[in-house]
Amino acid sequence: MKRIVTVQDISCVGKCSLTVALPIISAMGVETAIIPTAVLSTHTMFSEFTCKDLTDQITPITEHWKRASLGFDAIYTGYLGSFEQIDLMIKMFSDFKTEKSLTFVDPAMADNGKLYPAFDEAFAKKMASLCAVADIIVPNITEACFMTDTEYKAEYDEEYVKALLKKLSDLGAKICLLTGVSFEEGKTGVMGYEKATGEYFYYSHKKHSRSYHGTGDVFSSTCIGGIMNGLSWKDAAVLAADYTSECIRLTIEDPNGNDYGVNFEQAIPMLVERLKK
Ligand code: PXL
């Protein structure tokens, strides 16, 4: 069985970061070690939240793991809270990455043209330095723009997205996967670029009437889980896009659906079925 470690916060309510990564990746048959970077009462899109920073726990945990000779098939980072945490992740990559293992960065920090409340432009530039040393990065268009000094556009063409992917790739990552890429009304999807082959990849599906927080984390978790199951990055991206879309559909159809996160739990059987194929 493969083992990954994912490093992100615990938002106690809100269905994002570790509370989606842990169940989704585990359901995909992959051991999921965690480092919680902070404990929040809810994610930061609530009007109020508590936050206990756990940065001082990261080094003691990783030093213990080194003494115990623990290794990981992948290191997946999500929402991080500070410059220091980003530096610690760069160090963790260099301490734990092997030739066979994968580093996967979701620079979760912005959406719809805006940074999340806790961040500023300097933080986005710092996040670019983590993306530079990753194998695979999965920003949305907003995050990619902040990291590459590109003007954010709500409407764009394929040329704009390809140029954005090229700039992301120039940061250093081997594979760049942009989420939330839409070229036609009613559809959305993912567009990727692989530095080694110069190849672009696009996959789209239905765009739903509503969007929810945490869907980027659902996508990233499924994508790394798929890769750990032996899928190519493109097939993993397709699976992750389809699963995320199904989670959104189920949430919209649920009369008691939460507005803070998606019903990812209800779509886990579909995810597991798809992995068997
Ligand atoms: O990736 C979403 C996310 C994760 N963690 C925290 C957040 C958010 C989005 O707002 O606030 C704490």
Side-chain angles (χ1 to χ4, degrees):
M1 189 160 86
K2 300 262 190 196
R3 180 205 286 140
I4 76 153
V5 55
T6 180
V7 187
Q8 37 190 327
D9 67 278
I10 297 181
S11 291
C12 297
V13 167
K15 299 213 254 189
C16 64
S17 40
L18 283 184
T19 64
V20 306
L22 191 48
I24 290 173
I25 302 167
S26 300
M28 296 175 87
V30 177
E31 182 182 343
T32 311
I34 60 167
I35 299 184
T37 52
V39 180
L40 293 86
S41 52
T42 63
H43 60 52
T44 63
M45 307 313 280
F46 280 71
S47 58
E48 171 198 352
F49 54 89
T50 69
C51 179
K52 169 74 179 166
D53 182 87
L54 297 174
T55 306
D56 66 357
Q57 296 302 302
I58 296 176
T59 301
I61 290 171
T62 52
E63 287 301 312
H64 173 207
W65 288 352
K66 279 198 246 169
R67 288 193 300 279
S69 301
L70 287 166
F72 303 97
D73 296 294
I75 305 169
Y76 154 35
T77 69
Y79 185 103
L80 298 172
S82 63
F83 279 50
E84 190 184 353
Q85 288 186 355
I86 292 174
D87 281 332
L88 287 169
M89 289 307 101
I90 293 171
K91 173 150 187 349
M92 192 177 174
F93 285 5
S94 84
D95 286 352
F96 285 88
K97 167 124 173 99
T98 64
E99 252 175 47
K100 284 193 190 149
S101 67
L102 207 71
T103 47
F104 186 100
V105 173
D106 179 350
M109 59 184 168
D111 207 0
N112 299 314
K114 285 198 198 116
L115 287 157
Y116 294 152
F119 304 125
D120 59 16
E121 289 187 23
F123 183 84
K125 290 287 155 49
K126 184 75 184 170
M127 187 59 95
S129 71
L130 181 60
C131 287
V133 293
D135 293 315
I136 304 184
I137 60 172
V138 287
N140 59 36
I141 291 190
T142 305
E143 290 155 350
C145 286
F146 275 109
M147 290 195 294
T148 59
D149 278 327
T150 306
E151 187 197 349
Y152 173 79
K153 290 186 182 169
E155 281 175 27
Y156 44 77
D157 56 14
E158 198 173 310
E159 204 183 325
Y160 172 85
V161 180
K162 283 188 167 170
L164 192 52
L165 276 165
K166 191 75 187 34
K167 281 201 229 173
L168 276 176
S169 172
D170 288 342
L171 292 177
K174 295 189 184 116
I175 292 163
C176 303
L177 202 47
L178 263 180
T179 59
V181 179
S182 171
F183 296 120
E184 52 181 309
E185 187 123 346
K187 290 204 136 196
T188 188
V190 289
M191 189 163 191
Y193 175 76
E194 184 166 17
K195 195 198 285 281
T197 57
E199 191 189 346
Y200 288 95
F201 161 80
Y202 183 59
Y203 176 71
S204 68
H205 54 82
K206 181 183 160 154
K207 184 175 171 134
H208 296 281
S209 57
R210 286 198 57 183
S211 60
Y212 296 89
H213 297 301
T215 49
D217 301 338
V218 170
F219 177 87
S220 295
S221 302
T222 314
C223 193
I224 187 67
I227 293 168
M228 289 296 107
N229 271 273
L231 298 183
S232 68
W233 66 270
K234 292 178 210 160
D235 288 344
V238 170
L239 176 65
D242 287 347
Y243 175 63
T244 308
S245 171
E246 180 64 2
C247 293
I248 296 170
R249 185 187 73 77
L250 288 163
T251 315
I252 292 172
E253 286 187 359
D254 180 358
N256 302 312
N258 297 304
D259 60 6
Y260 51 74
V262 287
N263 292 17
F264 75 90
E265 303 90 338
Q266 288 181 303
I268 281 181
M270 166 266 190
L271 176 60
V272 172
E273 261 325 292
R274 277 277 294 264
L275 269 184
K276 287 187 198 153
K277 285 184 190 148

